Amino acid sequence: MKEKYWSFGAASTGGAHPPPEGGSGPDPQTPVLRINQLDAFELDSALDQLVWNQFSQCFQHFRPGLLTPVEPELKALLQLLLWRFTVYPNSATVGQSMMNLRYHNTLSLSQRYRALSRRQRLGLALLTVGPRWLTERSHSLLLSLGLGLGGSPPANGGLRLGLRRVLSLITGLTQVANVINFLVFLRKGRHPSLTERILGIRAVFTKPQAVRDAAFQYMNRELLWHGFAEFLIFLLPLVNMRKIKTTMYSLLYPLGVGKGGEEGVREGSAVWKECGLCGEWPTMPHMVGCGHVFCYYCVKSHSIADAYLTCPKCGVEVGEAKAVKLQMEMTDVHTR
């Protein structure tokens, strides 16, 4: 029986795709796990989001909101590009390729593997990209249609309201159909999306599934690193990084510690130009016992969070915050 299975798998390519080296071609008779099909959808969604993020980052230094007016069209264009270089030549999305899957034409009467026809590929692109674009563009399309029609304002408002109701009804029926189709998929394990059922396509394994033998050494290493990562996530918020930084600063620059009062003020005018905590120009400048200046809200909020707060510049323990009093000297300027 095993020899017959492998011989059938080798003959199942049907000339549509040559069998890969070192193995057999796609076998439509082998059932595909439901989790594999759902994982392929999740990978495709993550890839769409990743491509869009990379594309939008190319315009991060341009005017804000530059891509917003044409964002639905750009997303649809990127999805069509992915379809052109994945589904169109290979009958498989990126997620399916990673899960060892590809689409099979179930409309063919042959029991061998059949690649998607040209009509099915175009239909898959239309039914995948079209509804997403229409959902994002429906509001602006209805507004432009209502503004473009002649007649009295009540007539335009009634037409827009009727079109919106029709669109909402179609959307609701589509969602109900998707839910029913998904329940059928959970029962039978085929056609996880309504688009696949309409077009008559389903996922099959590209190569026969092999027995996966994971070494215990790999599993132990993964468990060890996972536990270590969870320990770091728990430990790092408890560590006072500011105090560690101050201690290291005092060890490297011991002469800078202990400068207080007027001696710290004599370090230069740069001390008065930035807050010791946020690094910005001090707002309501206050001193805490050393020669450095802080924003009032910075030193208060950090003192509440850390009862043993020290100056990040010199390491002196923060005392009572006192407002900085500056003496201003007015001089008369005589002009000719």
Side-chain angles (χ1 to χ4, degrees):
M1 182 64 66
K2 184 176 181 180
E3 294 179 357
K4 292 183 179 180
Y5 171 78
W6 288 110
S7 62
F8 174 77
S12 62
T13 56
H17 290 275
E21 298 179 0
S24 302
D27 184 8
Q29 304 302 321
T30 304
V32 180
L33 299 178
R34 296 170 178 82
I35 188 62
N36 288 14
Q37 302 181 57
L38 296 179
D39 285 345
F41 277 107
E42 292 297 329
L43 291 172
D44 291 332
S45 300
L47 177 63
D48 291 339
Q49 186 63 34
L50 178 62
V51 172
W52 172 250
N53 290 339
Q54 294 292 331
F55 180 79
S56 58
Q57 286 180 2
C58 297
F59 299 88
Q60 62 180 349
H61 299 295
F62 288 78
R63 176 175 56 86
L66 179 64
L67 302 179
T68 302
V70 292
E71 181 175 340
E73 287 74 18
L74 292 176
K75 288 184 177 180
L77 179 60
L78 293 176
Q79 291 171 0
L80 288 176
L81 287 176
L82 289 176
W83 166 85
R84 174 61 182 83
F85 294 104
T86 56
V87 178
Y88 187 79
N90 302 321
S91 296
T93 63
V94 176
Q96 288 179 333
S97 299
M98 297 178 66
M99 300 303 298
N100 189 29
L101 302 176
R102 72 170 39 170
Y103 280 126
H104 166 63
N105 183 2
T106 59
L107 300 180
S108 175
L109 300 178
S110 175
Q111 293 184 352
R112 300 178 178 180
Y113 171 77
R114 296 293 181 183
L116 301 185
S117 63
R118 182 182 180 87
R119 182 177 301 179
Q120 287 175 325
R121 298 174 187 179
L122 295 176
L124 183 61
L126 180 62
L127 295 179
T128 302
V129 180
R132 298 179 184 177
W133 174 83
L134 186 60
T135 302
E136 297 181 0
R137 272 295 179 205
S138 59
H139 181 70
S140 59
L141 288 176
L142 289 177
L143 289 180
S144 61
L145 182 61
L147 293 175
L149 295 176
S152 59
N156 290 335
L159 179 59
R160 289 199 300 270
L161 181 60
L163 291 176
R164 188 175 292 109
R165 288 179 177 177
V166 171
L167 185 60
S168 300
L169 178 62
I170 295 175
T171 304
L173 292 177
T174 304
Q175 293 176 352
V176 172
N178 285 325
V179 172
I180 296 175
N181 177 80
F182 188 74
L183 294 177
V184 175
F185 162 72
L186 294 179
R187 178 67 177 85
K188 297 185 177 181
R190 294 185 177 183
H191 308 296
S193 68
L194 188 61
T195 302
E196 295 182 6
R197 190 175 298 276
I198 293 174
L199 297 176
I201 59 178
R202 66 180 178 90
V204 297
F205 283 118
T206 303
K207 300 178 182 179
Q209 290 291 88
V211 178
R212 301 180 63 183
D213 187 12
F216 285 103
Q217 182 179 3
Y218 170 79
M219 297 177 63
N220 292 337
R221 184 168 63 250
E222 288 296 320
L223 292 175
L224 178 63
W225 280 111
H226 181 72
F228 183 68
E230 288 186 346
F231 174 73
L232 290 180
I233 293 175
F234 169 76
L235 180 63
L236 289 180
L238 304 179
V239 178
N240 192 340
M241 301 303 297
R242 185 177 298 277
K243 183 170 293 186
I244 295 177
K245 180 181 177 181
T246 303
T247 304
M248 296 298 298
Y249 187 88
S250 61
L251 293 176
L252 295 177
Y253 305 99
L255 297 179
V257 180
K259 290 185 177 181
E262 298 180 356
E263 184 180 357
V265 178
R266 288 195 296 269
E267 290 181 354
S269 59
V271 176
W272 302 89
K273 294 182 179 179
E274 65 175 15
C275 170
L277 291 171
C278 66
E280 302 294 336
W281 189 275
T283 302
M284 300 176 61
H286 279 64
M287 299 182 68
V288 293
C290 64
H292 299 97
V293 179
F294 305 89
C295 301
Y296 173 77
Y297 296 105
C298 289
V299 69
K300 278 296 182 181
S301 60
H302 284 77
S303 299
I304 294 174
D306 185 5
Y308 303 98
L309 180 66
T310 57
C311 176
K313 298 291 186 180
C314 61
V316 174
E317 187 175 353
V318 172
E320 182 182 359
K322 297 182 180 180
V324 175
K325 297 181 180 180
L326 300 177
Q327 296 181 355
M328 302 182 63
E329 183 176 341
M330 304 295 294
T331 58
D332 294 333
V333 178
H334 298 281
T335 59
R336 295 180 181 181

